[in-house]
Amino acid sequence: MTAAVSIRGVTKRFGTDVTAVDNVTLDIVDGEFFSLLGPSGCGKTTMLRMIAGLEFPTEGSIQIFGEELALRPPNKRPVNTVFQSYALFPHMNVEKNVAFGLEMRKVDKAVIKEQVADAIEAVHLKGMEKRKPSQLSGGQQQRVALARALVNRPKVLLLDEPLGALDLKLRQAMQIELKDIQSEVGITFIYVTHDQEEALTMSNRIGVMNFGNLLQVGTPEEIYERPVNRFVADFIGETNFIDGTVADDGRIRIAGGALVYARGDAPAGADVTLTLRPEKIWIHSRGAADLDPERNQLPGKITRRLYYGESIYYEIELEDGTLVDARHENIPSLQRRDVGDEVTITFHRQAAEALVS
Amino acid sequence: MTMLDERPSEEANPELERKAERAESWRGFFTALPTYLYLVVFFVLPLIIITVISFAERSRTGKPVLGEWTLDWWIKLGDPLVRSVVFRSVWLAFLNTLLSLLLGYPFAYWIATRKSALMRNFLLVLVLIPFWSNFLVRTYAWRTLLDSNGLVTKVGEMTGLWGKMLFTEPAVFLGLLYGYLPFMVLPLYAAIEHLDWNLVEAARDLYADARKAFIKVTLPLSKPGIIAGSILVFIPSLGAYVTPDLLGGSKTTLLGNYIVTQFKSGRNWPFGAALSVTILAIMMVATIIYFRKGGKTL
Ligand SMILES: Nc1ncnc2c1ncn2[C@@H]1O[C@H](COP(=O)(O)OP(=O)(O)O)[C@@H](O)[C@H]1O
Ligand SMILES: [Mg+2]
């Protein structure tokens, strides 16, 4: 497969003491929906702006379909951006906004008219051509920004938290719509977000960033199931951390002395942190006879119960005092537990990941 | 406060809302009252008075004789001499506005795009420093500079580009430009400083080169500053008195001086009044046209 965008050792420093992006190397596949995910200030926008040409890397190379353009101005790149604040031109109506890119490229007037009309229709804004951005709702402005970028048929579309300003319902609807548009036009999307759920549901692959570093790249499943370090495990979804050391037989000795199986390739004697998702933990009555011996078993006591409607969270205190959270679907076949119940928790040998601490 | 206390509940109560609205508008009226009074006493009344005077006969000393009415003074506005004064004034004011804009815009843009706020403020203070000394004094300084032995004249003679400018139209023009340039720079600075640079980046992202992005985005969005600055320069330039009086000669009489002459040596108050109303009308029409034209594209 061709790399739509190939980023090699890219670093961006502002002044001498801010390193917004730190030696990032990354290939983005043609046609994929790629998300850059990370907390605010981790360098996502800066990375995107360097691909757009609105910022130039201090070091490194950026290629789009094999063409080096790290230092090329933005107007000479086959990419377009949907800006975080939409950045619609307030003095132009919807039609003029959408036509801007084509006009700048001196496309034939009749062609512009036709393509602009198509683009406006594609984002369901027919009839609003003559409105100014200030006369549109947030969601509509968002669609104009999208149409304005897509009408140019860029090789790569860059989106900087495009749904950040919308309320939850609209955001969810737009997520689906964006996904549909992407598979329809087949253009590579690079999508910046700090919302892990959004990244998980929309992306083919995700790159997780923190402090300017690219920590992990993988499919949503890989990122969620096999986080490479504590930060990724913690940032994506909810998880329990349990400290331990690797025993001679490869099992993990956790505080309190119990031995459990986990994934990971840390050498014997290494200090590790287990990450274990709440939904992977089953709760059994203490002394239950039918426990699967292939699952790790740890005794504990229910110390808290939170009722969420569709699920129930239990906080369990292990024998050494470690607290873990377990999440149960709210279905009739699962027995309800009460605070104070003596229980045994079990989890699959592949469920916990041992991260070198 | 009391209005809120009277409300029985959160529910909409049209009667109470209307009352609150009325109270609000009265409050607005009373707040603005001192300004209204000021404008009526010192602006509207004098305006009515000079309009009335412009239709009166004049006495031997030049004072208006109320009770004897004539259209002579308004007809006199059509005299070639008067027309040339009006034309010259409008032309100079227009030219001054245009040149102020051409000089002021790059300068304001440059100040507004300095990264450090300290630097921006420092540059703005530099623009304002001339105001720390009296306009009259500064105009006298120009007189010295432009006179036979003045620095400007010497430089011009040395380079062979110009001679003594004092008491000529270029001197008046230079004086006007110098005097009113800050009034162009400040509103332009404010407009450019407030610009959303994301929009310029969006234009660049949409295949506009730097020049196109400026023409299509930066310039139209700084229009409020251009309009405000142009009006602030055009109006005082049109009515300028001190500058043409000190730097211009008898051949460069502008409307301002011409009006003063009518009230003094010319001994013709009614004609002076007619000229004053005329200059006001020109300013108003120019301002309205300008706002209309600007407003459409904003
Ligand atoms: N123009 C700039 N000048 C100085 N520092 C900047 C600039 N742009 C971004 N930064 C810094 O770089 C870091 C990353 O910023 P950004 O890429 O906007 O993060 P994100 O989009 O992930 O929230 C932040 O610490 C930010 O303060
Ligand atoms: Mg950002």
Side-chain angles (χ1 to χ4, degrees):
Chain A
M1 274 199 269
T2 359
V5 182
S6 174
I7 296 159
R8 289 282 167 275
V10 164
T11 295
K12 177 67 188 182
R13 286 187 207 95
F14 292 106
T16 48
D17 39 44
V18 181
T19 305
V21 171
D22 194 359
N23 193 19
V24 166
T25 293
L26 170 68
D27 276 324
I28 293 162
V29 179
D30 185 16
E32 80 174 325
F33 194 118
F34 189 93
S35 289
L36 274 174
L37 174 66
S40 176
C42 73
K44 308 178 295 286
T45 297
T46 306
M47 190 65 243
L48 205 69
R49 287 168 59 81
M50 285 192 285
I51 301 172
L54 298 169
E55 212 82 73
F56 296 126
T58 316
E59 287 162 25
S61 126
I62 297 175
Q63 296 189 350
I64 296 182
F65 290 97
E67 211 179 338
E68 175 63 41
L69 34 68
L71 300 177
R72 198 186 286 183
N75 50 317
K76 303 221 169 101
R77 296 184 184 217
V79 303
N80 287 112
T81 309
V82 174
F83 289 85
Q84 190 159 10
S85 50
Y86 313 139
L88 299 179
F89 305 123
H91 55 302
M92 300 180 194
N93 62 25
V94 170
E95 208 166 35
K96 280 274 166 207
N97 264 283
V98 176
F100 193 90
L102 297 174
E103 274 172 6
M104 286 302 118
R105 285 194 300 176
K106 306 215 159 52
V107 174
D108 186 67
K109 282 237 158 56
V111 177
I112 293 182
K113 206 165 169 205
E114 192 185 310
Q115 294 189 350
V116 166
D118 287 351
I120 289 175
E121 185 159 7
V123 295
H124 312 298
L125 285 176
K126 215 163 183 272
M128 310 223 174
E129 289 86 350
K130 302 294 176 209
R131 290 210 197 165
K132 292 274 177 76
S134 58
Q135 297 167 309
L136 300 174
S137 72
Q140 291 167 334
Q141 290 181 25
Q142 222 278 295
R143 288 155 195 272
V144 178
L146 200 60
R148 185 178 71 172
L150 278 175
V151 75
N152 302 295
R153 298 276 146 180
K155 287 185 175 159
V156 180
L157 185 72
L158 310 172
L159 304 100
D160 192 357
E161 312 215 10
L163 309 181
L166 306 181
D167 58 49
L168 184 66
K169 274 260 151 49
L170 192 56
R171 192 156 73 229
Q172 287 169 341
M174 282 302 293
Q175 284 174 6
I176 295 170
E177 207 174 313
L178 264 181
K179 219 20 219 172
D180 287 349
I181 289 175
Q182 196 258 341
S183 42
E184 214 168 284
V185 295
I187 291 173
T188 310
F189 275 34
I190 304 181
Y191 189 94
V192 160
T193 179
H194 66 263
D195 183 333
Q196 45 102 9
E197 205 175 292
E198 199 167 279
L200 288 177
T201 54
M202 298 177 77
S203 322
N204 296 115
R205 287 195 308 151
I206 299 171
V208 185
M209 289 183 74
N210 195 27
F211 293 126
N213 295 296
L214 186 64
L215 301 178
Q216 185 172 5
V217 178
T219 63
E221 225 169 317
E222 283 164 358
I223 300 273
Y224 185 80
E225 306 286 348
R226 302 286 162 242
V228 295
N229 62 27
R230 196 177 164 126
F231 175 82
V232 176
D234 198 23
F235 190 70
I236 320 273
E238 286 169 63
T239 197
N240 295 294
F241 289 119
I242 304 165
D243 291 330
T245 43
V246 183
D248 290 337
D249 63 356
R251 287 189 290 175
I252 314 293
R253 183 181 305 283
I254 62 173
L259 283 162
V260 296
Y261 291 97
R263 284 177 53 111
D265 45 17
D271 285 330
V272 293
T273 301
L274 295 185
T275 163
L276 179 59
R277 303 284 183 193
E279 74 277 8
K280 311 219 185 242
I281 299 174
W282 294 358
I283 303 171
H284 311 265
S285 306
R286 180 73 57 80
D290 55 344
L291 296 187
D292 180 354
E294 286 298 301
R295 295 175 67 86
N296 294 305
Q297 298 180 14
L298 291 171
K301 196 170 82 180
I302 305 279
T303 48
R304 204 188 289 273
R305 195 181 85 169
L306 292 172
Y307 181 79
Y308 275 85
E310 91 280 3
S311 62
I312 300 167
Y313 271 78
Y314 295 104
E315 182 190 73
I316 300 130
E317 187 179 340
L318 303 183
E319 280 186 328
D320 65 324
T322 307
L323 296 174
V324 296
D325 287 332
R327 175 176 172 271
H328 269 195
E329 289 296 319
N330 184 6
I331 46 179
S333 57
L334 282 178
Q335 190 186 331
R336 297 285 182 92
R337 308 288 166 181
D338 289 316
V339 173
D341 283 3
E342 298 281 337
V343 296
T344 299
I345 62 166
T346 71
F347 53 93
H348 196 273
R349 289 180 177 189
Q350 303 285 314
E353 186 83 12
L355 307 168
V356 179
S357 12
Chain B
M1 279 309 280
T2 49
M3 288 319 299
L4 281 176
D5 293 341
E6 279 173 31
R7 298 183 87 146
S9 71
E10 288 286 295
E11 275 170 55
N13 182 331
E15 183 50 36
L16 274 179
E17 258 170 34
R18 257 198 302 278
K19 243 166 112 182
E21 237 165 58
R22 263 200 307 275
E24 189 61 48
S25 84
W26 275 110
R27 225 177 349 251
F29 176 77
F30 283 120
T31 320
L33 194 59
T35 314
Y36 278 138
L37 281 177
Y38 178 89
L39 284 175
V40 167
V41 172
F42 293 105
F43 185 75
V44 179
L45 276 181
L47 202 62
I48 293 170
I49 292 170
I50 65 161
T51 311
V52 169
I53 288 176
S54 75
F55 290 103
E57 283 285 5
R58 69 165 171 160
S59 73
R60 232 163 251 237
T61 56
K63 300 235 164 93
V65 184
L66 297 176
E68 291 172 38
W69 307 109
T70 171
L71 281 176
D72 282 1
W73 316 121
W74 286 93
I75 293 163
K76 195 174 149 102
L77 286 175
D79 282 4
L81 171 74
V82 181
R83 279 220 310 259
S84 84
V85 169
V86 173
F87 180 77
R88 185 161 49 231
S89 300
V90 173
W91 173 241
L92 264 185
F94 169 76
L95 218 59
N96 185 32
T97 309
L98 191 70
L99 204 68
S100 297
L101 185 60
L102 291 180
L103 289 176
Y105 198 100
F107 186 51
Y109 185 94
W110 185 70
I111 302 179
T113 49
R114 292 310 89 199
K115 285 232 168 61
S116 123
L118 200 70
M119 185 65 177
R120 286 200 302 270
N121 289 335
F122 172 71
L123 290 167
L124 278 181
V125 169
L126 287 189
V127 175
L128 292 173
I129 276 182
F131 292 114
W132 294 359
S133 72
N134 185 284
F135 186 60
L136 203 61
V137 173
R138 286 184 282 137
T139 310
Y140 266 109
W142 271 106
R143 203 166 158 149
T144 312
L145 287 171
L146 297 173
D147 209 349
S148 321
N149 293 319
L151 189 64
V152 175
T153 314
K154 290 274 181 237
V155 170
E157 278 167 354
M158 245 153 49
T159 56
L161 292 176
W162 62 81
K164 180 188 145 185
M165 278 192 265
L166 191 58
F167 306 136
T168 65
E169 208 167 284
V172 177
F173 184 63
L174 212 60
L176 289 176
L177 186 63
Y178 160 81
Y180 300 120
L181 188 59
F183 294 110
M184 181 61 90
V185 171
L186 293 179
L188 279 176
Y189 167 81
I192 298 169
E193 224 262 289
H194 278 113
L195 213 95
D196 179 0
W197 295 102
N198 275 326
L199 298 173
V200 180
E201 293 195 330
R204 297 299 313 272
D205 185 66
L206 292 162
Y207 313 104
D209 56 26
R211 196 180 66 92
K212 267 281 160 65
F214 177 79
I215 292 170
K216 290 277 181 180
V217 177
T218 312
L219 203 56
L221 291 179
S222 41
K223 199 164 257 170
I226 297 176
I227 291 178
S230 299
I231 287 168
L232 286 179
V233 171
F234 182 79
I235 289 180
S237 300
L238 186 60
Y241 169 66
V242 169
T243 310
D245 196 50
L246 292 185
L247 303 180
S250 53
K251 288 203 191 97
T252 54
T253 304
L254 296 187
L255 259 172
N257 319 72
Y258 196 52
I259 291 171
V260 173
T261 310
Q262 301 315 314
F263 284 94
K264 290 168 134 184
S265 52
R267 299 189 181 198
N268 195 342
W269 285 32
F271 182 51
L275 282 167
S276 300
V277 175
T278 307
I279 199 173
L280 208 81
I282 296 174
M283 286 172 183
M284 268 174 64
V285 169
T287 309
I288 289 169
I289 290 175
Y290 208 68
F291 262 119
R292 279 268 172 86
K293 251 188 101 195
K296 230 179 271 165
T297 43
L298 265 179

